[in-house]
């Protein structure tokens, strides 16, 4: 096949990102975050859509400039079609359609969760198939059997909250700004993970549940602050280390079960929470203990970015998987 050069756009949540990929090699990956949500303790969808509209033109311009690619070299435009926030997705989808239509090139609709997994094919070492991927983000917690670039099956997932949501909600209860996951990670490094124990229910099979631990954590904070109003301030590192340890333990109990059930010992992690240092370390320790072959993405490709959309777009382009112009975003798109 001749050269493939794509522009990719990601706008599913609160990061506006654009990337350029040439024959499977990422040439640029620009990410603009949105500070506006931190004071609200969570993402405000309407503000996210507006911020995407402000960011998308300069972000795409910068991605093309850094890649030293001019528009007429592009063969297609890839974009996140879902899952994500409807208003945020709409900005990226409309922009991608208009951009591609103007150039007379096709569009490629990428599944955001597949793209998180395909981020593993940006850099070396790349996993061989099949492998299991623990995909952990603000909206999802899944164990995925990956048999090929575009051949994936969810074999376990959460029945309620995502683990990223559990991190963020715990952080909010501690008075930390949104998104709190990275802050829990930071303070956890300074604390003792065995200081506090949090009860949680073990779900059947490969199903996760994080809503119970969230409630247990809330009662724990309320109980201690009643006795000592400065409890959180005085014990923040130990509290963060303990809740992080529990969340990681829950993640790993099902992951170990999945390895046992499938016999697949090649394990990858993906999604925003895969940036967590405790999770990365635990995976490395498990690899040494069980002789697993593990794949941990570089930090820049853990949280939302368009490079992963570009990588997925590349494999879809090779298969001629183009989208109709009438496509509308799918907030609940499944793998
Ligand atoms: O994949 P992502 O960027 O967006 C979604 O698709 O949801 O994931 C965002 C989630 C947030 O919940 C954020 O708190 C969490 O990933 N996160 C972390 C860390 N970095 C990001 N959670 C724990 N530790 C981190 N270092
Ligand atoms: Zn994501």
């Amino acid at each position: 096949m001749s050269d493939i050069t794509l522009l990719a756009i990601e706008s599913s949540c609160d990061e506006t990102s654009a990337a350029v990929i040439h024959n499977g090699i990422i040439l640029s990956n620009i990410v603009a975050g949105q500070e506006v949500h931190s004071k609200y303790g969570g993402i405000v969808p309407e503000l996210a859509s507006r911020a995407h509209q402000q960011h998308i033109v300069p972000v795409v311009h910068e991605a093309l400039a850094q890649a030293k690619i001019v528009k007429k070299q592009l063969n297609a435009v890839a974009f996140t079609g879902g899952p994500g926030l409807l208003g945020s997705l709409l900005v990226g989808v409309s922009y991608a359609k208009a951009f591609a239509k103007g150039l007379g090139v096709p569009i490629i609709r990428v599944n955001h969760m597949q793209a998180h997994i395909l981020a593993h094919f940006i850099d070396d070492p790349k996993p061989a198939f099949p492998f299991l991927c623990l995909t952990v983000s603000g909206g999802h917690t899944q164990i995925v059997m990956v048999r090929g670039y575009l051949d994936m099956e969810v074999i376990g997932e959460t029945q309620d909250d995502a683990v990223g949501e559990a991190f963020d909600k715990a952080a909010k209860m501690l008075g930390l700004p949104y998104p709190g996951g990275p802050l829990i990670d930071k303070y956890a490094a300074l604390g003792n993970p065995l200081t506090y124990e949090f009860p949680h229910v073990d779900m059947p099979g490969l199903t996760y549940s994080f809503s119970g631990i969230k409630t247990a954590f809330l009662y724990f904070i309320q109980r201690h602050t009643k006795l000592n109003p400065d409890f959180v301030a005085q014990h923040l590192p130990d509290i963060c280390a303990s809740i992080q340890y529990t969340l990681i333990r829950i993640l790993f109990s099902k992951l170990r079960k999945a390895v046992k059930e499938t016999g697949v010992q090649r394990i990858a992690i993906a999604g925003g929470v895969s940036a967590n240092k405790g999770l990365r370390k635990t995976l490395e320790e498990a690899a040494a203990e069980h002789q697993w072959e593990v794949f941990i993405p570089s930090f820049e490709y853990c949280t939302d970015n368009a490079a992963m959309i570009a990588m997925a777009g590349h494999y879809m382009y090779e298969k001629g998987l183009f989208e109709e112009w009438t496509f509308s975003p799918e907030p609940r798109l499944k793998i």
Side-chain angles (χ1 to χ4, degrees), residues 112 116 137-139 164 167-168 179 181-182 185 271-273 275-276 303-304:
H112 182 88
H116 267 303
S137 72
F167 266 101
D168 295 337
D185 191 4
V273 182
N276 184 272
T303 44
D304 290 348

Side-chain angles (χ1 to χ4, degrees), residues 110-149:
V110 171
N111 180 310
H112 182 88
M113 299 314 294
Q114 276 196 349
H116 267 303
I117 297 172
L118 293 173
H120 281 282
F121 295 91
I122 296 174
D123 289 331
D124 288 327
K126 300 176 172 76
F129 300 113
F131 65 92
L132 291 176
C133 190
L134 177 68
T135 313
V136 278
S137 72
H140 292 78
T141 306
Q142 299 178 327
I143 300 176
V144 184
M145 170 68 86
V146 188
R147 299 193 180 89
Y149 296 117

